[in-house]
Amino acid sequence: MDIDKNKPYPIINQLECKSCGRCVDACPKKVLAIGDTLNERGYHAAVYLGEGCIGCANCFYTCPEPHAIKIHIPLKKS
Amino acid sequence: MTEKIISSKGIYNEFPRKGRNNPAPAATHYCPGCGHGILHKLIGEALADLGLQDKTVTISPVGCAVFAYYYFDTGNIQVAHGRAPAVATGVSRATDKIVIAYQGDGDLASIGLNETLQAANRGEKIAVFFVNNTVYGMTGGQMAPTTLIGEKTVTCPDGRDPLTQGYPLHLCELIASLQAPVFVERVALSDSKNIRNARRAVRKALEVQRDGKGYTFVEVLSPCPTNLGQSAVANNDFINEQMIREYPLGNFRDRTEEAEPVVRPDSDFTRESLDTLFELDSIPPSIPHDDAADTETQVKIAGFGGQGVLSLGIMLTEAAQAASKQVSWYPSYGPEQRGGTSNCSVIISKQAIGSPVVYNPDLLVAMNRPSFERFKNDVKPGGIIMYDAQIGDVELPPGVKGVAVPAQDLAEQAGSSRAANTIMFGVMLELGITRLPEAAFARALEANFAKKPKLIPLNLKILEFARQWVKNNVR
């Protein structure tokens, strides 16, 4: 799936995710979901649905894994 | 295109706890939905943003966060259960580091409660982050001091009942009852609004540490989905609906503006100052003597308070030290009234002494009858009892030699009614029971009366008087 990199978007590290679901619950735009496939460690890792992220970072701050989610926010060209 | 990336700071990039070949080298050891990782991120981020990582020592507790040193990119110490306040105090006072004590509710509020309150009351420069999830996590969900009334855990399966288990402990409220703490706040990790608020409180606490202003305490209501048997999302509801009712969020103390930096006088830990403190700089050379045949000598000295019982023990200890022996002096004050009986135990040995307790003395010095009767049957066969002749007729245990010393009378004859113990000391020397050299006894008297030097010649005279009495009166 192609993500529009001119808009904010999360990168979810599939390997580190433990499928707790906190990010899905915390997302105000409901653009995260628990994925269908198992990761290497046996968890259904969370996925970004591909559009709609506003870069609020709620998912980043609520995620218990330090390196499972990163938020990319494009800056206006100067 | 330029972009900003929001990611973890102040945290290591990999956590090699399970080795470098771990399939997920950057995953924590925490359960899914655990609050520790969330708080780790908030603390790490604040430390990095404030530029404090290299000035910070993080103290890991016993509990699930025992491995916090795998995560925080700071200095790290892992300490015994509940002892973070003591170690944090030491680090804070001995260095100029910022100290974080990261502790859970079992660690901080149960076994470590006393130290927590004492450190807070001293206003130590420590940032305490207290993770309250209402259970003992690491050991499998037992009841904690913070378990809610009615909450079921493996050790209160019918729910916590205050009639048998008491009430939940409110730590912020306890800490805020003390005068010294600078900043006390309770926050939660249950939803984004609360997490943002926790982020602010964590940052503020670390700013207080950066400025050296004193003690900060941030209690963090945190999820433990595994032990509470809830989904991560349901655990957030539990925090919002039940925990916060018992543990209201908010600030309990904020003196961050008016508080002044805590500046304590420097401690002098140089070798010279410690030697002076422990009087190691004035030890005279050891008195040589032949101790090839020596074994251990155990002595019990007992009598009324005021008879110099304890100081006779100290004199004997000094004599043994002067001859470079291992020696222990162990007073027993007991709960008796002042003027009641007292005793002390002295062990003199060539070997290191394991226990200072004397059960079966080689020598008993009994200054009064109650002491004689109490300890006489403990004396080893072949041992000696020196007792004050004023006791009168006595019955000695079989195989034990008795020496009746008119210590009080002799002391008065020799010039001091208060020197019965020096008489006993001289008798001990002349009988050779301790096998310590003569010069050691003289040096012991000099050491014992160092603060009243006028008494030294008198006591040396009394020592000699006692030796003469032995020569004339004891076979």
Coordinates of all heavy atoms in Angstrom, one line a residue, chain A residues 5-7 9 13 15-16 18-22 25-26 40-41 43 55-77, chain B residues 1-8 11-15 23-34 37-38 41-42 45 189-190 192 195-196 199 223 232-233 236:
Chain A
K5 N 3.3 10.5 1.6 CA 4.3 11.0 2.5 C 4.3 12.6 2.7 O 5.1 13.1 3.4 CB 5.7 10.5 2.1 CG 5.7 9.0 2.1 CD 7.1 8.4 2.3 CE 7.0 6.9 2.6 NZ 8.2 6.2 2.5
N6 N 3.3 13.2 2.0 CA 3.1 14.6 2.2 C 2.2 14.8 3.4 O 1.9 16.0 3.8 CB 2.5 15.3 1.0 CG 3.5 15.3 -0.1 OD1 4.7 15.7 0.1 ND2 3.1 14.8 -1.3
K7 N 1.7 13.7 4.0 CA 0.9 13.8 5.2 C 1.5 13.0 6.3 O 2.3 12.2 6.0 CB -0.5 13.3 4.9 CG -1.3 14.2 3.9 CD -2.7 13.6 3.6 CE -3.4 14.5 2.7 NZ -4.6 13.9 2.1
Y9 N 2.2 10.2 9.0 CA 1.9 8.8 9.0 C 2.8 8.1 10.0 O 3.9 8.5 10.3 CB 2.2 8.2 7.6 CG 3.6 8.2 7.1 CD1 4.5 7.2 7.3 CD2 4.1 9.4 6.5 CE1 5.8 7.2 6.9 CE2 5.4 9.5 6.1 CZ 6.2 8.4 6.3 OH 7.5 8.5 5.9
N13 N 6.6 -0.9 13.7 CA 7.6 -2.0 13.6 C 6.9 -3.3 13.9 O 6.5 -3.6 15.1 CB 8.7 -1.7 14.6 CG 9.8 -2.8 14.5 OD1 9.5 -3.9 14.1 ND2 11.0 -2.4 14.9
L15 N 7.7 -6.3 14.1 CA 8.4 -7.3 14.9 C 8.3 -7.0 16.4 O 8.3 -7.9 17.2 CB 9.9 -7.4 14.5 CG 10.7 -8.5 14.9 CD1 10.0 -9.8 14.5 CD2 12.1 -8.4 14.3
E16 N 8.2 -5.7 16.7 CA 8.2 -5.3 18.1 C 6.8 -5.3 18.7 O 6.7 -5.2 19.9 CB 8.9 -4.0 18.3 CG 10.2 -3.7 17.6 CD 11.3 -4.6 18.1 OE1 11.1 -5.3 19.0 OE2 12.4 -4.6 17.4
K18 N 3.3 -6.1 20.2 CA 2.7 -7.2 21.0 C 1.2 -7.3 21.0 O 0.6 -7.9 21.8 CB 3.2 -7.1 22.5 CG 4.7 -7.4 22.6 CD 5.2 -7.2 24.0 CE 6.7 -7.5 24.1 NZ 7.3 -6.9 25.4
S19 N 0.6 -6.5 20.1 CA -0.8 -6.6 19.8 C -1.7 -6.2 21.0 O -2.7 -6.8 21.2 CB -1.1 -8.0 19.3 OG -2.4 -8.1 18.8
C20 N -1.2 -5.3 21.9 CA -2.0 -5.0 23.1 C -3.3 -4.2 22.7 O -4.3 -4.2 23.4 CB -1.2 -4.3 24.1 SG -0.8 -2.6 23.7
G21 N -3.2 -3.4 21.6 CA -4.4 -2.7 21.1 C -4.5 -1.3 21.7 O -5.5 -0.6 21.4
R22 N -3.6 -0.9 22.5 CA -3.7 0.5 23.1 C -3.7 1.6 22.0 O -4.4 2.6 22.1 CB -2.5 0.7 24.1 CG -2.7 0.0 25.4 CD -1.5 0.3 26.3 NE -1.5 1.7 26.7 CZ -2.0 2.2 27.9 NH1 -2.4 1.4 28.8 NH2 -2.0 3.5 28.1
D25 N -7.0 1.9 20.3 CA -8.0 2.5 21.1 C -7.7 4.0 21.2 O -8.6 4.9 21.4 CB -7.9 1.9 22.5 CG -9.0 2.3 23.4 OD1 -10.2 2.2 23.0 OD2 -8.8 2.9 24.5
A26 N -6.4 4.4 21.2 CA -6.0 5.8 21.4 C -6.1 6.7 20.2 O -6.1 7.9 20.2 CB -4.6 5.9 22.0
E40 N 6.5 -12.6 13.5 CA 7.4 -13.7 13.7 C 7.3 -14.3 15.1 O 7.7 -15.4 15.4 CB 8.8 -13.2 13.5 CG 9.9 -14.2 13.0 CD 11.2 -13.5 12.7 OE1 11.2 -12.6 11.9 OE2 12.2 -13.9 13.4
R41 N 6.9 -13.4 16.1 CA 6.8 -13.8 17.5 C 5.4 -14.3 17.9 O 5.1 -14.5 19.1 CB 7.3 -12.7 18.4 CG 8.8 -12.3 18.0 CD 9.4 -11.6 19.1 NE 8.7 -10.3 19.4 CZ 8.7 -9.8 20.6 NH1 9.4 -10.3 21.6 NH2 8.1 -8.6 20.8
Y43 N 2.4 -12.6 17.4 CA 1.4 -11.5 17.7 C 0.7 -11.0 16.4 O 1.4 -10.9 15.4 CB 2.0 -10.4 18.4 CG 2.6 -10.7 19.8 CD1 3.9 -10.6 20.0 CD2 1.7 -11.0 20.8 CE1 4.5 -10.9 21.3 CE2 2.2 -11.2 22.1 CZ 3.6 -11.2 22.3 OH 4.1 -11.5 23.5
G55 N -1.0 12.9 12.8 CA 0.3 13.1 13.5 C 0.2 13.6 14.9 O 1.1 14.2 15.4
C56 N -0.9 13.1 15.6 CA -1.1 13.6 17.0 C -0.2 12.9 17.9 O 0.1 13.3 19.0 CB -2.5 13.4 17.4 SG -3.0 11.6 17.6
A57 N 0.4 11.7 17.5 CA 1.3 10.9 18.3 C 0.7 10.3 19.5 O 1.4 9.8 20.4 CB 2.5 11.7 18.7
N58 N -0.6 10.3 19.6 CA -1.3 9.5 20.7 C -0.8 8.1 20.7 O -0.6 7.5 21.8 CB -2.8 9.6 20.6 CG -3.4 10.9 21.1 OD1 -2.6 11.7 21.6 ND2 -4.7 11.0 21.1
C59 N -0.7 7.5 19.5 CA -0.4 6.1 19.5 C 1.1 5.9 19.9 O 1.4 4.9 20.6 CB -0.5 5.5 18.0 SG 0.4 6.4 16.8
F60 N 2.0 6.8 19.6 CA 3.3 6.7 20.0 C 3.4 6.7 21.5 O 4.1 5.9 22.2 CB 4.2 7.8 19.4 CG 5.5 7.9 20.1 CD1 6.6 7.0 19.8 CD2 5.8 8.9 21.0 CE1 7.8 7.1 20.4 CE2 7.0 9.0 21.6 CZ 8.0 8.1 21.3
Y61 N 2.7 7.7 22.1 CA 2.9 7.8 23.6 C 2.2 6.8 24.4 O 2.5 6.4 25.5 CB 2.4 9.2 24.0 CG 3.4 10.3 23.7 CD1 3.3 11.2 22.7 CD2 4.6 10.3 24.5 CE1 4.2 12.2 22.4 CE2 5.6 11.3 24.2 CZ 5.4 12.2 23.2 OH 6.4 13.1 22.9
T62 N 1.1 6.2 23.8 CA 0.4 5.1 24.6 C 1.0 3.8 24.3 O 0.7 2.8 25.1 CB -1.1 5.1 24.1 OG1 -1.8 4.6 25.2 CG2 -1.3 4.3 22.9
C63 N 1.9 3.6 23.4 CA 2.5 2.3 23.1 C 3.5 2.0 24.1 O 4.5 2.7 24.4 CB 3.2 2.4 21.7 SG 4.0 0.8 21.3
P64 N 3.4 0.8 24.7 CA 4.4 0.4 25.8 C 5.7 0.0 25.2 O 6.7 -0.2 26.0 CB 3.7 -0.8 26.4 CG 2.3 -0.8 26.0 CD 2.3 -0.2 24.7
E65 N 5.9 -0.2 23.9 CA 7.2 -0.6 23.4 C 7.9 0.7 22.9 O 7.4 1.4 22.0 CB 7.0 -1.6 22.2 CG 6.5 -3.0 22.7 CD 7.5 -3.6 23.7 OE1 8.7 -3.5 23.4 OE2 7.1 -4.2 24.7
P66 N 9.1 0.9 23.4 CA 9.8 2.1 23.0 C 10.0 2.3 21.5 O 10.0 3.4 21.0 CB 11.1 2.0 23.8 CG 10.8 1.2 24.9 CD 9.8 0.2 24.5
H67 N 10.2 1.2 20.8 CA 10.6 1.3 19.4 C 9.6 0.7 18.4 O 10.0 0.4 17.3 CB 12.0 0.7 19.2 CG 13.1 1.3 20.0 ND1 13.3 2.7 20.1 CD2 14.0 0.8 20.9 CE1 14.3 2.9 20.9 NE2 14.7 1.8 21.5
A68 N 8.4 0.5 18.9 CA 7.4 -0.1 18.0 C 6.7 0.9 17.0 O 6.3 0.5 16.0 CB 6.4 -0.9 18.8
I69 N 6.6 2.1 17.4 CA 5.9 3.1 16.6 C 6.8 4.4 16.5 O 7.3 4.8 17.4 CB 4.5 3.5 17.2 CG1 3.6 2.3 17.3 CG2 3.9 4.6 16.3 CD1 2.2 2.6 17.9
K70 N 6.9 4.8 15.2 CA 7.5 6.1 15.0 C 6.5 6.9 14.2 O 5.8 6.4 13.3 CB 8.8 6.0 14.2 CG 10.0 5.4 15.0 CD 11.2 5.4 14.1 CE 12.5 5.1 14.9 NZ 12.5 3.7 15.4
I71 N 6.4 8.2 14.4 CA 5.5 9.1 13.7 C 6.3 10.0 12.8 O 7.2 10.7 13.3 CB 4.6 10.0 14.6 CG1 4.1 9.1 15.8 CG2 3.6 10.7 13.9 CD1 3.1 8.1 15.3
H72 N 6.0 10.0 11.5 CA 6.6 10.9 10.5 C 5.7 12.1 10.3 O 4.5 11.9 9.9 CB 6.9 10.2 9.2 CG 8.0 9.1 9.4 ND1 9.3 9.3 8.8 CD2 8.0 8.0 10.1 CE1 10.0 8.2 9.2 NE2 9.3 7.4 10.0
I73 N 6.2 13.3 10.4 CA 5.4 14.5 10.2 C 6.1 15.4 9.2 O 7.2 15.9 9.5 CB 5.1 15.2 11.5 CG1 4.4 14.3 12.5 CG2 4.3 16.5 11.2 CD1 4.2 14.9 13.8
P74 N 5.6 15.5 8.0 CA 6.2 16.4 7.0 C 6.2 17.8 7.4 O 5.3 18.3 8.1 CB 5.4 16.2 5.7 CG 4.1 15.7 6.2 CD 4.3 15.0 7.5
L75 N 7.3 18.5 7.2 CA 7.4 19.9 7.5 C 7.2 20.7 6.3 O 7.6 20.3 5.2 CB 8.8 20.2 8.2 CG 9.1 19.5 9.5 CD1 10.5 19.8 9.9 CD2 8.1 19.8 10.6
K76 N 6.6 21.9 6.4 CA 6.4 22.7 5.3 C 7.7 23.2 4.7 O 8.6 23.5 5.4 CB 5.5 24.0 5.7 CG 4.1 23.6 5.8 CD 3.3 24.8 6.3 CE 1.9 24.5 6.7 NZ 1.3 25.3 7.7
K77 N 7.7 23.2 3.3 CA 9.0 23.7 2.7 C 9.2 25.1 3.0 O 8.3 25.9 3.0 CB 8.9 23.5 1.2 CG 9.0 22.0 0.8 CD 8.7 21.9 -0.7 CE 8.6 20.4 -1.1 NZ 7.6 20.1 -2.0
Chain B
M1 N 11.9 16.2 0.8 CA 11.0 16.8 1.8 C 11.6 16.6 3.2 O 12.1 15.5 3.5 CB 9.6 16.1 1.8 CG 8.8 16.4 3.0 SD 7.1 15.9 3.0 CE 6.6 16.5 1.4
T2 N 11.6 17.7 4.0 CA 12.0 17.5 5.4 C 10.9 17.0 6.2 O 9.7 17.4 6.0 CB 12.6 18.9 5.9 OG1 11.6 19.8 5.7 CG2 13.8 19.2 5.2
E3 N 11.2 16.3 7.3 CA 10.1 15.8 8.1 C 10.7 15.7 9.6 O 11.9 15.6 9.8 CB 9.6 14.4 7.6 CG 10.7 13.4 7.6 CD 10.1 12.0 7.2 OE1 9.0 11.9 6.9 OE2 10.9 11.0 7.3
K4 N 9.7 15.7 10.5 CA 10.0 15.5 11.9 C 9.6 14.1 12.2 O 8.5 13.6 11.7 CB 9.2 16.5 12.7 CG 9.3 16.4 14.2 CD 8.6 17.5 14.9 CE 7.7 17.0 16.0 NZ 6.8 18.0 16.6
I5 N 10.4 13.4 13.0 CA 10.1 12.0 13.3 C 10.0 12.0 14.9 O 10.9 12.3 15.6 CB 11.2 11.0 12.9 CG1 11.3 11.0 11.4 CG2 10.8 9.6 13.4 CD1 12.4 10.1 10.8
I6 N 8.8 11.5 15.3 CA 8.6 11.4 16.8 C 8.9 9.9 17.1 O 8.3 9.0 16.6 CB 7.1 11.7 17.1 CG1 6.8 13.2 16.8 CG2 6.9 11.4 18.6 CD1 5.4 13.5 17.0
S7 N 10.0 9.8 17.9 CA 10.4 8.4 18.3 C 11.0 8.5 19.7 O 11.2 9.6 20.3 CB 11.4 7.9 17.3 OG 12.6 8.8 17.3
S8 N 11.3 7.4 20.3 CA 11.8 7.3 21.6 C 13.2 8.0 21.8 O 14.0 7.9 20.9 CB 11.9 5.9 22.1 OG 10.7 5.4 22.3
I11 N 16.5 6.3 25.5 CA 16.4 4.8 25.6 C 17.3 4.2 24.7 O 17.5 4.7 23.6 CB 14.9 4.4 25.3 CG1 13.9 5.2 26.0 CG2 14.7 2.9 25.4 CD1 13.6 4.7 27.4
Y12 N 18.0 3.1 25.1 CA 18.9 2.4 24.2 C 18.1 1.9 22.9 O 16.9 1.7 22.9 CB 19.5 1.2 24.9 CG 20.4 1.5 26.0 CD1 20.2 1.0 27.3 CD2 21.6 2.2 25.8 CE1 21.0 1.3 28.3 CE2 22.5 2.5 26.8 CZ 22.2 2.1 28.1 OH 23.0 2.4 29.1
N13 N 18.9 1.8 21.8 CA 18.2 1.3 20.6 C 17.9 -0.1 20.6 O 17.0 -0.6 19.9 CB 19.2 1.7 19.4 CG 19.2 3.2 19.1 OD1 18.2 3.9 19.4 ND2 20.3 3.7 18.7
E14 N 18.7 -0.9 21.3 CA 18.5 -2.3 21.4 C 18.6 -2.8 22.9 O 19.3 -2.1 23.7 CB 19.5 -3.2 20.6 CG 19.3 -3.0 19.1 CD 20.0 -4.0 18.3 OE1 20.7 -4.8 18.9 OE2 19.7 -4.1 17.1
F15 N 17.9 -3.8 23.2 CA 17.9 -4.3 24.6 C 18.4 -5.7 24.6 O 17.7 -6.7 24.5 CB 16.4 -4.3 25.1 CG 15.7 -3.0 24.8 CD1 14.4 -3.1 24.3 CD2 16.2 -1.8 25.0 CE1 13.7 -1.9 24.0 CE2 15.5 -0.6 24.7 CZ 14.3 -0.7 24.2
P23 N 15.1 -12.5 18.2 CA 14.4 -12.1 17.0 C 13.9 -10.7 17.0 O 13.7 -10.1 16.0 CB 13.3 -13.2 16.9 CG 13.2 -13.8 18.2 CD 14.5 -13.7 18.8
A24 N 13.6 -10.2 18.2 CA 13.1 -8.8 18.3 C 14.0 -8.1 19.3 O 13.6 -7.9 20.4 CB 11.6 -8.8 18.8
P25 N 15.2 -7.7 18.8 CA 16.2 -7.1 19.8 C 15.8 -5.8 20.4 O 16.4 -5.4 21.4 CB 17.4 -6.9 18.9 CG 16.9 -6.9 17.5 CD 15.6 -7.7 17.4
A26 N 14.7 -5.2 19.9 CA 14.3 -3.9 20.5 C 13.0 -4.0 21.2 O 12.4 -3.0 21.5 CB 14.3 -2.8 19.4
A27 N 12.6 -5.2 21.5 CA 11.3 -5.4 22.2 C 11.7 -5.5 23.7 O 12.7 -6.1 24.1 CB 10.6 -6.6 21.8
T28 N 10.8 -4.9 24.6 CA 11.1 -5.0 26.0 C 10.7 -6.4 26.5 O 10.1 -7.2 25.8 CB 10.2 -4.0 26.8 OG1 8.8 -4.4 26.6 CG2 10.4 -2.6 26.2
H29 N 11.0 -6.6 27.8 CA 10.7 -7.9 28.4 C 9.3 -7.8 29.1 O 8.8 -8.7 29.7 CB 11.7 -8.3 29.5 CG 11.6 -7.4 30.8 ND1 12.0 -6.1 30.8 CD2 11.2 -7.7 32.0 CE1 11.8 -5.7 32.1 NE2 11.3 -6.6 32.8
Y30 N 8.6 -6.6 28.9 CA 7.3 -6.4 29.6 C 6.2 -7.1 28.8 O 6.3 -7.3 27.6 CB 7.0 -4.9 29.7 CG 8.0 -4.2 30.6 CD1 8.8 -3.2 30.0 CD2 8.2 -4.5 31.9 CE1 9.7 -2.5 30.8 CE2 9.1 -3.8 32.7 CZ 9.9 -2.8 32.2 OH 10.8 -2.2 32.9
C31 N 5.1 -7.4 29.5 CA 3.9 -8.0 28.9 C 3.3 -7.0 27.9 O 3.4 -5.8 28.1 CB 2.9 -8.4 29.9 SG 3.5 -9.5 31.2
P32 N 2.4 -7.5 27.0 CA 1.6 -6.6 26.2 C 0.8 -5.7 27.0 O 0.1 -6.1 28.0 CB 0.8 -7.6 25.4 CG 1.5 -8.9 25.4 CD 2.2 -8.9 26.7
G33 N 0.8 -4.4 26.7 CA -0.1 -3.5 27.4 C 0.4 -3.0 28.8 O -0.3 -2.3 29.5
C34 N 1.7 -3.3 29.1 CA 2.2 -3.0 30.4 C 2.5 -1.5 30.4 O 2.9 -0.9 29.4 CB 3.5 -3.7 30.6 SG 4.4 -3.2 32.1
G37 N 6.7 0.4 30.0 CA 7.4 0.9 28.7 C 6.9 2.4 28.5 O 7.7 3.2 28.0
I38 N 5.6 2.6 28.7 CA 5.1 4.0 28.5 C 5.8 5.0 29.4 O 6.3 6.0 28.9 CB 3.6 4.0 28.8 CG1 2.9 2.9 28.0 CG2 3.0 5.4 28.5 CD1 1.4 2.7 28.4
K41 N 9.4 5.6 28.3 CA 9.5 6.5 27.2 C 9.4 8.0 27.7 O 10.1 8.9 27.2 CB 8.4 6.3 26.2 CG 8.7 5.0 25.3 CD 7.5 4.5 24.7 CE 7.0 5.2 23.5 NZ 5.9 4.5 22.8
L42 N 8.5 8.2 28.6 CA 8.3 9.6 29.1 C 9.5 10.1 29.8 O 10.0 11.3 29.7 CB 7.1 9.7 30.0 CG 5.7 9.3 29.4 CD1 4.6 9.5 30.4 CD2 5.4 10.2 28.2
E45 N 12.5 10.5 27.3 CA 12.3 11.7 26.5 C 12.6 13.0 27.3 O 13.3 13.9 26.7 CB 10.8 11.7 26.0 CG 10.5 12.9 25.1 CD 9.1 13.0 24.8 OE1 8.3 13.3 25.7 OE2 8.7 12.8 23.6
L189 N -1.7 6.5 33.3 CA -1.3 6.2 31.9 C -2.5 5.6 31.1 O -2.3 4.8 30.2 CB -0.1 5.2 31.9 CG 1.1 5.7 32.6 CD1 2.2 4.6 32.6 CD2 1.7 6.9 32.0
S190 N -3.7 6.0 31.5 CA -4.9 5.3 31.1 C -5.4 5.8 29.7 O -6.1 5.0 29.0 CB -6.0 5.3 32.1 OG -6.1 6.7 32.5
S192 N -4.9 9.1 26.5 CA -3.9 10.1 25.9 C -3.9 11.4 26.7 O -2.8 12.0 26.9 CB -4.3 10.4 24.5 OG -4.1 9.2 23.7
I195 N -1.9 10.6 29.8 CA -0.4 10.4 29.4 C 0.3 11.7 29.2 O 1.4 11.9 29.6 CB -0.3 9.4 28.2 CG1 -0.8 8.0 28.6 CG2 1.1 9.4 27.7 CD1 -0.9 7.0 27.5
R196 N -0.4 12.6 28.5 CA 0.2 13.9 28.2 C 0.4 14.7 29.6 O 1.5 15.3 29.8 CB -0.7 14.8 27.4 CG -1.1 14.2 26.1 CD -0.1 14.5 25.0 NE -0.4 13.8 23.8 CZ 0.2 13.9 22.6 NH1 1.2 14.8 22.5 NH2 -0.1 13.2 21.6
R199 N 3.4 13.2 31.2 CA 4.6 13.6 30.5 C 5.0 15.0 31.1 O 6.2 15.2 31.4 CB 4.3 13.8 29.0 CG 5.4 14.2 28.2 CD 5.0 14.1 26.7 NE 6.0 14.5 25.8 CZ 5.9 15.7 25.1 NH1 4.8 16.5 25.3 NH2 6.9 16.0 24.3
P223 N -1.2 0.4 34.0 CA -1.9 -0.9 33.8 C -1.0 -2.1 34.0 O 0.2 -2.1 33.7 CB -2.3 -0.8 32.3 CG -1.3 0.1 31.7 CD -0.9 1.1 32.8
A232 N -5.7 -4.9 27.5 CA -5.0 -3.6 27.8 C -6.0 -2.5 27.8 O -5.9 -1.6 28.6 CB -4.0 -3.4 26.7
V233 N -7.0 -2.5 26.9 CA -8.0 -1.5 26.8 C -8.9 -1.5 28.1 O -9.2 -0.5 28.7 CB -8.8 -1.6 25.5 CG1 -10.0 -0.6 25.5 CG2 -7.9 -1.3 24.3
N236 N -7.3 0.1 31.0 CA -7.4 1.5 31.0 C -8.7 2.0 31.7 O -8.8 3.0 32.4 CB -7.3 2.1 29.6 CG -5.9 2.0 29.1 OD1 -4.9 2.0 29.9 ND2 -5.7 2.0 27.8

